[in-house]
């Protein structure tokens, strides 16, 4: 099946490039370092962003926005990581009890998912402010960055799966 990437998907990929999302915090497999898959992916994204940052040659106002968005992203990643660990521990604790209420556990998971969604939206807005401050040449570099990230997602990313 041939899928076309809409501007909306490209923007979504850019925003994923700039931040982290909760599903990356799944329990790490034995083959990974202590930080798990999340740390591997976050480190890779941060290295790529560093290269993009160097290419953009930001002015002082843009640099301030970039640093604020970066700080917000890092703090968000730390908060999500802590939240997911706490949620996992709480769910295991509740499930260890006889007659555990699965509806209550599911409700807590839903609340955490909603909080994560709000965090991702706030993160996206920070990076969109950075994008809005770029000139045409810089926006083109950002577009090419997003395009290359989407192209690498082929075969294993979210955009090659049919919607349900």
């Amino acid at each position: 099946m041939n899928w076309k990437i809409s501007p909306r998907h490209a923007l979504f990929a850019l925003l994923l490039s700039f931040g982290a999302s909760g599903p990356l915090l799944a329990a790490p497999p034995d083959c990974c370092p202590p930080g798990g898959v999340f740390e591997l992916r976050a480190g890779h994204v941060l290295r790529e962003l560093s290269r993009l940052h160097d290419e953009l040659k930001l002015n002082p106002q843009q640099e301030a926005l970039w640093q604020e968005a970066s700080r917000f992203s890092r703090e968000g990643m730390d908060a999500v990581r802590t939240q997911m660990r706490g949620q996992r521990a709480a769910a295991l604790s509740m499930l260890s009890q006889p007659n555990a209420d699965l509806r209550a556990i599911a409700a807590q998971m839903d609340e955490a998912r909603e909080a994560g969604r709000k965090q991702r939206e706030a993160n996206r807005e920070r990076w969109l402010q950075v994008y809005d401050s770029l000139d045409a040449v810089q926006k083109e570099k950002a577009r090419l960055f997003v395009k290359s990230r989407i192209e690498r997602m082929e075969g294993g990313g979210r955009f090659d799966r049919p919607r349900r």
Side-chain angles (χ1 to χ4, degrees), residues 2-64:
N2 188 11
W3 289 88
K4 293 185 180 180
I5 297 175
S6 72
R8 184 172 158 190
H9 284 143
L11 179 60
F12 182 71
L14 174 66
L15 297 174
L16 280 179
S17 299
F18 289 144
S21 61
L24 296 177
L25 298 174
D30 294 334
C31 66
C32 294
V37 174
F38 178 80
E39 295 296 329
L40 286 174
R41 290 182 183 174
H44 181 70
V45 169
L46 292 175
R47 279 190 304 277
E48 287 186 355
L49 282 175
S50 176
R51 284 193 293 271
L52 175 64
H53 177 267
D54 295 343
E55 288 179 30
L56 291 177
K57 297 178 179 39
L58 302 173
N59 66 36
Q61 179 217 8
Q62 294 167 331
E63 182 66 30

Side-chain angles (χ1 to χ4, degrees), residues 25-145:
L25 298 174
D30 294 334
C31 66
C32 294
V37 174
F38 178 80
E39 295 296 329
L40 286 174
R41 290 182 183 174
H44 181 70
V45 169
L46 292 175
R47 279 190 304 277
E48 287 186 355
L49 282 175
S50 176
R51 284 193 293 271
L52 175 64
H53 177 267
D54 295 343
E55 288 179 30
L56 291 177
K57 297 178 179 39
L58 302 173
N59 66 36
Q61 179 217 8
Q62 294 167 331
E63 182 66 30
L65 289 170
W66 181 283
Q67 293 304 323
E68 176 64 20
S70 295
R71 184 187 59 75
F72 193 78
S73 292
R74 279 191 306 277
E75 289 173 359
M77 285 189 290
D78 292 342
V80 167
R81 184 182 311 109
T82 302
Q83 175 195 9
M84 292 297 289
R85 286 180 180 153
Q87 178 186 351
R88 193 175 303 124
L92 286 173
S93 174
M94 291 173 72
L95 289 169
S96 297
Q97 303 297 320
N99 299 324
D101 184 6
L102 295 181
R103 287 189 186 279
I105 295 169
Q108 286 180 346
M109 293 172 89
D110 289 344
E111 289 173 15
R113 191 174 301 116
E114 181 63 20
R117 184 188 63 78
K118 288 179 182 177
Q119 175 68 26
R120 286 187 301 278
E121 286 178 359
N123 191 37
R124 177 181 61 199
E125 286 304 314
R126 299 284 174 128
W127 286 107
L128 285 173
Q129 288 175 357
V130 173
Y131 178 78
D132 290 342
S133 74
L134 300 178
D135 63 30
V137 173
Q138 292 169 321
K139 284 182 179 181
E140 179 63 12
K141 289 179 182 179
R143 182 191 68 80
L144 293 173
F145 173 81

